[in-house]
Amino acid sequence: MAASALTEDDIPGSSLAGREPASLKNEELRFWLRCRGDSLKGSKTKELLVKRVEEYINSGHDQNIVDPDRNRIYTRRKEHNEAASKDVDASVSGESQLKYPSDGWSIDLTKMPFFTRAEMNKHISNSGKNIGSNISTHSVPTSVRKATTFLQDEYLKEILSASDESYFYFKAQCHHSFRKNDPPHNLKVALCIVSGKVKHVYCTYVAGAVGFCNHVLALMMKVCKFTLYECKSVSGLENKDDIQPKQACTSMLQRWHRKGRGDTIVPQPAMEVVVQKTHQDLDRSSLREPGVRCLLYEARTLQ
């Protein structure tokens, strides 16, 4: 494979950018000359460096750019960017033909590709959100917390899957957290059936039109759990809290008829019970009132 021809745009600092050579520092002049393949032999002063730069410009050799790094880092970087650009173009051309199936949806996951947090993070990075721990501002942790809330609070409903020779599809509904009467958001995710890479994501929410919203992240986290537990169907996690969460006591039927708390209630003789008036500002030990006690005679006590 032939090496890519470098230009001034590929190497920062290799262009004069309209400046006079005499206005540059010695290090900048040396770097400019190294980008033209000059050995810098005999060019020790600024006057000699400026003269050498002007010779390259007058002879027209200033456009012959070479990699000044001995490890060819600039050449490798350009080759990597060109390869990535070709992959993006091929991906876009392939995704333009992507069409979600109209039928054949089921709960079967036997053909689901391996999908982990790595594929999820790669999809998030394409949105321009910050992922690295060395970045001062973090937008992903907040989104992940919200997505976890959607997952744990049973907002995801009717998760179905489908597949063809190229993609594995998911669709689901995500209900609102407070507006229960509004229709739920419709989510769609398309994964590469070979690599598990996210090829297309869609949500009816305003921010999800381009596929980057908390509802979509919640569905992706659910897909990660399908891979983690090696589920063969969507119903494989029905006993988990994010599918059947523990209901609050106000959402359950009354349980007064059931005998409960037997191990926490200790019987106490009525003769030892003292009823006192409550005082919020006073300590019980400082109360002078003895309270109400049972005055019945108990023959079992010693006189």
Side-chain angles (χ1 to χ4, degrees):
M1 180 178 178
S4 301
L6 296 174
T7 63
E8 292 182 343
D9 297 332
D10 300 324
I11 307 177
S14 63
S15 174
L16 295 177
R19 298 172 295 177
E20 293 293 333
S23 64
L24 301 180
K25 298 180 180 180
N26 290 357
E27 289 298 327
E28 295 174 331
L29 293 171
R30 292 191 184 97
F31 184 78
W32 190 94
L33 290 172
R34 285 201 301 269
C35 292
R36 274 73 188 173
D38 195 279
S39 62
L40 301 177
K41 186 177 181 180
S43 302
K44 297 182 179 180
T45 63
K46 184 173 182 179
E47 182 180 0
L48 295 176
L49 292 172
V50 171
K51 182 179 179 180
R52 191 66 176 157
V53 170
E54 291 177 347
E55 290 177 356
Y56 273 95
I57 296 175
N58 295 332
S59 62
H61 293 163
D62 58 321
Q63 298 301 322
N64 299 332
I65 309 298
V66 298
D67 198 330
D69 188 80
R70 61 181 180 180
N71 296 321
R72 301 177 62 251
I73 184 173
Y74 297 102
T75 303
R76 291 160 52 193
R77 183 178 298 170
K78 183 172 183 178
E79 292 175 352
H80 173 76
N81 293 337
E82 289 178 350
S85 177
K86 292 179 181 178
D87 292 341
V88 170
D89 294 340
S91 176
V92 171
S93 62
E95 292 173 12
S96 61
Q97 303 175 359
L98 189 149
K99 184 178 180 180
Y100 289 92
S102 57
D103 55 3
W105 293 92
S106 65
I107 62 173
D108 184 33
L109 299 178
T110 54
K111 295 183 179 181
M112 188 187 78
F114 193 78
F115 185 83
T116 63
R117 185 65 181 271
E119 286 78 16
M120 181 177 172
N121 287 346
K122 189 172 183 179
H123 170 74
I124 294 173
S125 63
N126 293 333
S127 67
K129 295 184 178 181
N130 299 331
I131 295 180
S133 58
N134 57 345
I135 301 176
S136 57
T137 58
H138 303 279
S139 57
V140 172
T142 303
S143 301
V144 171
R145 285 196 297 268
K146 293 180 180 179
T148 304
T149 301
F150 288 134
L151 190 63
Q152 293 180 348
D153 292 353
E154 202 186 5
Y155 291 152
L156 288 177
K157 299 284 188 179
E158 300 181 11
I159 302 177
L160 297 176
S161 64
S163 63
D164 54 23
E165 64 276 4
S166 301
Y167 304 103
F168 194 90
Y169 308 95
F170 282 98
K171 73 174 182 178
Q173 291 183 347
C174 187
H175 291 256
H176 300 267
S177 56
F178 297 103
R179 295 175 295 180
K180 297 296 184 181
N181 295 328
D182 291 354
H185 298 302
N186 294 320
L187 314 178
K188 292 182 179 180
V189 176
L191 307 177
C192 177
I193 200 168
V194 177
S195 63
K197 181 181 178 181
V198 180
K199 291 297 185 179
H200 185 266
V201 177
Y202 176 76
C203 177
T204 53
Y205 182 60
V206 177
V210 293
F212 303 109
C213 67
N214 300 328
H215 311 99
V216 167
L217 294 184
L219 180 56
M220 288 186 179
M221 293 177 67
K222 189 66 179 181
V223 176
C224 289
K225 294 189 68 174
F226 289 148
T227 300
L228 178 63
Y229 289 96
E230 298 181 352
C231 297
K232 301 302 180 183
S233 66
V234 175
S235 59
L237 297 178
E238 285 186 350
N239 295 327
K240 299 298 179 182
D241 288 344
D242 51 10
I243 293 292
Q244 296 292 339
K246 298 178 180 178
Q247 293 181 338
C249 60
T250 54
S251 301
M252 299 180 182
L253 297 176
Q254 61 86 14
R255 297 185 178 182
W256 303 327
H257 62 286
R258 297 185 180 181
K259 296 181 180 180
R261 300 196 307 144
D263 54 345
T264 59
I265 298 178
V266 180
Q268 186 177 5
M271 304 300 294
E272 299 179 2
V273 176
V274 179
V275 180
Q276 294 179 332
K277 185 178 180 180
T278 59
H279 295 273
Q280 297 180 354
D281 300 333
L282 298 177
D283 188 10
R284 178 173 294 183
S285 60
S286 63
L287 295 178
R288 297 182 179 180
E289 299 178 0
V292 179
R293 295 175 177 269
C294 181
L295 300 180
L296 295 177
Y297 173 75
E298 186 176 4
R300 293 174 295 179
T301 58
L302 297 176
Q303 299 296 332

